[in-house]
Amino acid sequence: MNFLKTFVFMLLLLVPAAGCAGMSLQEKGIPKIEGLIAVRGQTVHTMARQADGSWAEPIINGVVLVRDGKVVAVGPASSVEIPANVHVIEAEVVTPGLIDAHSVVGLAGWLNYDHDQDQLERSAPMQPELDALDAYNVREPLIEWIRSFGVTTLHTGHAPGQLISGQTFIVKTRGDNVDAAVLKPRMMVACTLGSAAMRKEGQSPGTRAKQMAMLRQEFIRARAYEEKIAAAQADPEKDPPARDLAKEVLVRVLSGETPLMISAHTSVDIQNALRLQKELGIQVVLDGGSECYDFIDALLEQKIQVIIHPTMMRASGAGKNSSMETAAKLVAAGIPVAMGSGYESYVPKTRVVLWEAAIACAYGCSFSDALGLITASAAQLLGISDRVGSLEVGKDGDMALYDGDPFEYTTHCVGTVIDGDVVSDLVR
Amino acid sequence: MITEARPKGRSCAYRFVVAILLLFMGNLITAADTTAFTGARLMPVSGPIIEDGVLVVRGGKIESIGASKDVVIPTGAVRIDASGKTIIPGLICTHSHIGMGGGGDSSDPIQPECWTLDSVNVRAASLERARAGGLTLVNQMPGSGHLISGRTTYLKLRKGGTVDELLIKDSEGWPMGGLKMANGTNSQRSAPFPGTRAKSAALVREAYVKAQEYRDKITRAAGDPDKIPERDLRMEALVEALDGKRIVHHHTHRHDDILTVLRLRDEFGFQVVLHHVSEAWKVVDEIAASGAPCSLIVIDSPGGKLEARDISMENGVVLEKAGVNVAFHTDDFITDSRLFLRSAALAVRSGMSREGALRALTLSGAEMLGLEGRTGSLDPGKDADFAILSGDPFSVYTQVLETWVEGERVFDRSDPAQRLFAVGGRGAGDDQAYHCCGERQEQR
């Protein structure tokens, strides 16, 4: 009831603003062609890469044509013909739909009470079998919140806070049930090193050395499990081991199929993450990484991708030496990097990656590199660039629409489009 | 003083020579402690924006301000070219936890005898970050886990390694501050803390009734030492609140909690600033009618707890339109002091006027601390507290270049050691060491 009141209230406030924004999301009269939509922007940032790897120049007075959810044409208005009777949306600036490269939204809810906090199971330190799919609340109001700022894709799941807290997955910020939302049902296994993953007095892990020892032992067991399966497959006389859901997940990590996302902030914890990667030869994605600016050479050498902490993350605790310039430094060094909203135990229950990338832009990133952190580079890192992250023919028709420079404090997001459907027309 | 000491009966010529000499010396003195910032865009807050302005600072105070053509820069003044830059009053945060000064412990929900000046660490990195954000004055608050968690401390962010160097003293030499109160769910815990809203209000009411009786006893004693009650530190702070000498800074979120604060204020007559006020938009008429000012927080998403579920980014504009005096606060560590301008910018995004938003970061904050007579705007006679920006205060691309408190530069982004606090990096989170004279030293 209250939420409804808030919503109605906000709508009332936004009516005059919408009038000024030059948007016409709900045109009436002429019947529109089903499944076809055209988005026209004074500036369209496609976030496509040119042959030499550099960002394509933005298209001035550009058009993106979407048919049945997929981009079928993108280019300047002079070259892309908009068929008659097509629903046309106009905005000052158009970008690909934004990607939050690491969040816990949907598992973590806005109220922050037990019943809406499913991001962290504390009964054991390592539970890789926990599936994000089973805990994602597609109707969580925070999803609607970030969607209204242009976020269309969300890498979410089990939170930092246990040595192995569970799995993550990727959704679109739409749909009435999780199956309608899911883009990639299994993405990474979430691992945390350092103080955030220590347990109570008398429980393990209680030290960093213990954390590493436990992880090594667990992966050794998973390797043995895998070998037993292989042996049983090769020799019909041998029985396969009893199925172990946790080990099945870790076997996927060992095979390189599933990356291990290690949340680590301090210098010691980042070094431990690097060591673990070397020892196991697995694919590691460094998450958070407050002090990773000191390990740029090692990250490059070990081909470790980084989901950097939100730029405005609190500079305290393990993140006390975090820098708002880290994203720029990583990009300059050629390290694949994306930005996530991270995890907050208090407020804000979710950060808005648009605003976090904006600060990265103010602190050393070029406009395109900063936008890349939450679009094309994020899609690349998450292995979903065939679907999202840039506005190119064949990709999903996901877009965010703005009434000015998307990063500027006073600019509004005026619309969000997923698979060619307008999913938000709030002015925020 | 010199003229008084001057022997009588000298010639006019002698007097003339002395006068000229004095004038000359006067200029020399002026030159030593006068600085003129030239060519800047000045946003005084108390008046219209001045393009190509001059700000003259002398002895820690603002001497004069105006357009270049109108301001006479004293001979010998140090000139600092600020052309292309924007100067605004130093930012004032009405609600901050930098230095992590706490108040009461978990023994009692009402502990007005506790004072954050006894617990704040002014060498904390968070103070350096605040200076890097353009802040010059903060209300250092104890937490919201009590109905009355203690006395707050108003801190000028001068360079200094002891809390005494940062205090603001009243006319009697006492450190200035307010009284922190809270209602809603934060201050509800197991006994002796309240478990309901009605109990919360009842406990507060009881405390203030006791304070009234304590005050009456003192009045009735009329100076008779046999009748004067024993000094009671808890009661003293509450009496100061009752007498309007100590402003109550009240944490409150939900619409009914806001009205409870106003009800208690009307019952006891204390002066109150409403803090956070997440649901202000639901009771905006009542707040406007009460005349109580609001100090707002801007959070990037709603929720975090049930009573903050309906927080609205539109609080700023709605209250402004209703004529309520509005300020912002960082609640640092909740939001980062380095990005305090951003809070107001997001309010502008939601419809608040630019003028109102800048006032809400400066003069309105000063008013809510009762310090508008000495800071909060660029006016002659006020403390020379200001920030030099690279551009528009409400642009994400604008940087705080320098922060000045009482005529002394306390942050300079061009110095790599200080820039570290602005952007972060190795060592940025370490608390700072100072030697006796207040010069910053590297701590390793």
Side-chain angles (χ1 to χ4, degrees):
Chain A
M1 183 61 194
N2 270 334
F3 173 63
L4 202 72
K5 274 172 70 179
T6 316
F7 185 74
V8 169
F9 172 81
M10 284 174 173
L11 278 185
L12 284 174
L13 279 171
L14 296 172
V15 165
C20 316
M23 283 278 301
S24 53
L25 293 182
Q26 306 297 335
E27 288 171 58
K28 292 194 176 72
I30 318 157
K32 303 299 180 195
I33 302 169
E34 279 296 309
L36 199 59
I37 185 172
V39 175
R40 191 171 178 151
Q42 291 297 310
T43 306
V44 177
H45 298 278
T46 64
M47 299 311 286
R49 294 268 190 186
Q50 291 175 308
D52 64 353
S54 63
W55 300 111
E57 287 294 315
I59 302 168
I60 305 303
N61 192 11
V63 172
V64 183
L65 206 58
V66 179
R67 185 188 295 273
D68 299 326
K70 299 286 181 188
V71 175
V72 291
V74 52
S78 53
S79 68
V80 177
E81 195 187 336
I82 302 176
N85 292 0
V86 166
H87 188 133
V88 181
I89 302 172
E90 292 183 6
E92 198 78 23
V93 175
V94 177
T95 72
L98 307 183
I99 300 169
D100 184 336
H102 182 207
S103 167
V104 293
V105 162
L107 285 80
W110 65 337
L111 298 182
N112 212 17
Y113 285 89
D114 288 349
H115 72 268
D116 77 348
Q117 300 300 297
D118 279 308
Q119 72 278 15
L120 196 60
E121 167 65 43
R122 295 170 201 272
S123 56
M126 291 185 282
Q127 305 192 58
E129 68 275 24
L130 303 186
D131 221 320
L133 201 71
D134 296 323
Y136 184 72
N137 173 15
V138 76
R139 294 167 198 261
E140 165 54 45
L142 289 177
I143 298 168
E144 186 264 334
W145 177 258
I146 57 173
R147 188 174 60 209
S148 69
F149 292 101
V151 176
T152 55
T153 302
L154 193 57
H155 173 217
T156 187
H158 289 93
Q162 295 289 343
L163 199 48
I164 294 179
S165 64
Q167 299 168 55
T168 63
F169 78 146
I170 299 180
V171 288
K172 292 275 189 88
T173 56
R174 69 174 311 182
D176 290 336
N177 60 70
V178 67
D179 297 317
V182 71
L183 180 71
K184 200 171 176 181
R186 286 168 172 164
M187 186 59 225
M188 299 189 195
V189 170
C191 169
T192 306
L193 293 178
S195 53
M198 300 297 181
R199 287 163 68 80
K200 282 185 280 187
E201 178 72 28
Q203 292 181 350
S204 292
T207 63
R208 290 189 160 86
K210 186 71 175 183
Q211 289 181 338
M212 290 294 281
M214 288 169 74
L215 285 171
R216 286 187 184 112
Q217 188 66 61
E218 203 63 11
F219 277 107
I220 287 168
R221 289 192 186 117
R223 185 89 73 192
Y225 176 78
E226 186 186 18
E227 284 164 0
K228 271 188 200 164
I229 293 172
Q233 279 169 351
D235 181 356
E237 297 294 306
K238 285 183 176 162
D239 286 336
R243 273 191 73 188
D244 183 323
L245 296 180
K247 290 197 177 66
E248 283 179 8
V249 176
L250 296 186
V251 165
R252 289 205 301 270
V253 173
L254 286 168
S255 74
E257 182 190 337
T258 302
L260 186 68
M261 176 172 63
I262 303 182
S263 299
H265 286 281
T266 68
S267 164
V268 177
D269 297 318
I270 292 169
Q271 287 173 66
N272 283 349
L274 291 167
R275 190 175 311 111
L276 200 68
Q277 192 278 327
K278 265 191 180 169
E279 287 176 13
L280 299 174
I282 57 175
Q283 195 189 336
V284 161
V285 171
L286 178 64
D287 172 65
S290 286
E291 297 183 6
C292 74
Y293 42 68
D294 282 345
F295 300 94
I296 283 176
D297 291 344
L299 292 168
L300 272 173
E301 192 191 316
Q302 292 178 237
K303 296 190 168 52
I304 292 180
Q305 309 187 92
V306 180
I307 301 175
I308 195 67
H309 59 81
T311 322
M312 292 184 279
M313 184 189 74
R314 281 184 194 111
S316 63
K320 72 172 188 174
N321 288 327
S322 62
S323 166
M324 297 199 259
E325 295 181 323
T326 306
K329 279 183 186 155
L330 296 177
V331 169
I335 293 170
V337 55
M339 185 171 282
S341 60
Y343 168 63
E344 295 285 346
S345 60
Y346 190 37
V347 290
K349 273 314 277 185
T350 185
R351 294 180 177 275
V352 177
V353 283
L354 169 69
W355 292 336
E356 301 299 332
I359 303 296
C361 185
Y363 285 78
C365 272
S366 71
F367 177 88
S368 294
D369 285 339
L371 187 57
L373 295 170
I374 54 169
T375 56
S377 306
Q380 197 76 40
L381 190 149
L382 297 170
I384 50 174
S385 54
D386 57 327
R387 291 280 304 272
V388 297
S390 60
L391 295 172
E392 292 173 277
V393 172
K395 296 196 182 182
D396 294 1
D398 296 355
M399 282 166 269
L401 283 57
Y402 303 91
D403 61 4
D405 174 357
F407 289 150
E408 193 50 277
Y409 288 144
T410 48
T411 294
H412 305 92
C413 179
V414 295
T416 308
V417 178
I418 297 181
D419 303 324
D421 296 329
V422 176
V423 293
S424 172
D425 59 0
L426 298 174
V427 178
R428 269 190 177 150
Chain B
M1 301 310 269
I2 292 167
T3 45
E4 277 174 22
R6 176 164 48 81
K8 288 175 182 174
R10 303 281 183 169
S11 70
C12 283
Y14 176 85
R15 288 180 192 181
F16 180 74
V17 169
V18 168
I20 292 292
L21 273 172
L22 282 174
L23 245 170
F24 181 62
M25 284 168 68
N27 272 340
L28 281 181
I29 293 161
T30 303
D33 71 344
T34 303
T35 309
F37 298 83
T38 62
R41 177 170 211 246
L42 301 174
M43 304 178 86
V45 170
S46 51
I49 294 171
I50 303 163
E51 306 290 349
D52 186 19
V54 172
L55 179 72
V56 181
V57 172
R58 180 181 182 182
K61 300 277 182 189
I62 294 170
E63 172 108 335
S64 55
I65 176 172
S68 285
K69 58 180 174 48
D70 301 330
V71 175
V72 180
I73 299 173
T75 316
V78 176
R79 286 166 184 254
I80 295 180
D81 179 11
S83 44
K85 297 168 185 169
T86 296
I87 299 182
I88 61 171
L91 306 186
I92 296 172
C93 180
T94 44
H95 188 136
S96 178
H97 301 291
I98 56 170
M100 293 306 281
D105 58 22
S106 58
S107 65
D108 197 313
I110 294 178
Q111 302 186 51
E113 68 274 27
C114 297
W115 203 346
T116 57
L117 79 77
D118 295 319
S119 57
V120 65
N121 172 19
V122 298
R123 298 171 191 234
S126 53
L127 269 82
E128 299 292 358
R129 289 198 291 269
R131 293 181 181 107
L135 276 69
T136 55
L137 168 62
V138 302
N139 179 19
Q140 212 289 329
M141 298 268 263
S144 55
H146 299 69
L147 297 171
I148 303 178
S149 57
R151 308 173 196 201
T152 83
T153 313
Y154 300 158
L155 294 177
K156 266 290 183 81
L157 297 181
R158 304 174 193 110
K159 282 184 181 176
T162 64
V163 66
D164 301 79
E165 292 166 86
L166 275 64
L167 296 175
I168 299 175
K169 305 277 181 66
D170 67 13
S171 55
E172 292 164 24
W174 283 99
M176 292 182 72
L179 186 68
K180 173 75 181 282
M181 291 182 61
N183 66 4
T185 49
N186 279 23
S187 45
Q188 290 178 33
R189 290 190 251 170
S190 52
F193 284 71
T196 64
R197 289 185 154 83
K199 181 72 174 178
S200 302
L203 287 172
V204 167
R205 203 169 269 129
E206 196 175 73
Y208 276 105
V209 166
K210 273 189 192 152
Q212 284 174 330
E213 289 166 0
Y214 175 80
R215 181 175 62 180
D216 290 347
K217 260 188 209 169
I218 294 172
T219 311
R220 280 199 303 273
D224 181 347
D226 293 335
K227 291 181 181 165
I228 285 181
E230 189 183 354
R231 272 190 72 188
D232 184 329
L233 295 178
R234 322 180 109 196
M235 292 295 111
E236 281 185 2
L238 296 181
V239 167
E240 284 173 0
L242 289 171
D243 290 346
K245 291 177 184 164
R246 186 173 289 281
I247 296 168
V248 171
H249 295 285
H250 210 304
H251 159 115
T252 184
H253 285 285
R254 217 170 75 174
H255 62 99
D256 48 343
D257 289 328
I258 297 168
L259 298 187
T260 300
V261 175
L262 296 176
R263 189 179 315 115
L264 288 167
R265 179 202 69 161
D266 291 343
E267 282 174 35
F268 294 101
F270 51 71
Q271 205 182 326
V272 74
V273 178
L274 302 170
H275 285 254
H276 310 323
V277 230
S278 295
E279 295 191 1
W281 60 271
K282 294 183 182 175
V283 285
V284 64
D285 293 340
E286 289 83 352
I287 293 172
S290 79
C294 287
S295 175
L296 302 177
I297 190 163
V298 177
I299 298 283
D300 283 16
S301 61
K305 52 185 171 182
L306 193 53
E307 62 183 5
R309 184 189 65 176
D310 290 351
I311 190 170
S312 169
M313 293 245 174
E314 280 80 14
N315 273 337
V317 57
V318 171
L319 290 167
E320 179 186 44
K321 284 186 176 160
V324 176
N325 196 15
V326 176
F328 293 105
H329 61 252
T330 61
D331 204 1
D332 196 336
F333 63 100
I334 297 297
T335 73
D336 191 329
S337 293
R338 292 176 295 183
L339 296 162
F340 191 25
L341 284 165
R342 177 177 180 268
S343 292
L346 291 186
V348 172
R349 178 196 195 109
S350 296
M352 194 174 184
S353 74
R354 287 175 161 264
E355 299 72 26
L358 188 59
R359 193 184 200 284
L361 290 169
T362 56
L363 188 54
S364 296
E367 286 166 354
M368 292 180 205
L369 307 183
L371 293 170
E372 70 277 16
R374 60 180 290 175
T375 189
S377 58
L378 301 179
D379 285 311
K382 282 198 177 181
D383 291 352
D385 301 342
F386 55 91
I388 305 179
L389 310 179
S390 61
D392 174 12
F394 300 129
S395 170
V396 68
Y397 304 112
T398 291
Q399 296 168 346
V400 176
L401 302 174
E402 296 178 19
T403 307
W404 291 67
V405 175
E406 293 166 7
E408 188 190 2
R409 189 164 55 192
V410 299
F411 170 71
D412 179 0
R413 194 180 166 108
S414 68
D415 172 2
Q418 296 180 58
R419 185 180 182 279
L420 179 67
F421 298 114
V423 303
R426 170 76 52 217
D430 296 336
D431 295 344
Q432 297 305 296
Y434 292 84
H435 69 57
C436 62
C437 307
E439 283 298 310
R440 183 182 292 107
Q441 291 202 320
E442 291 296 305
Q443 179 176 281
R444 283 284 177 261

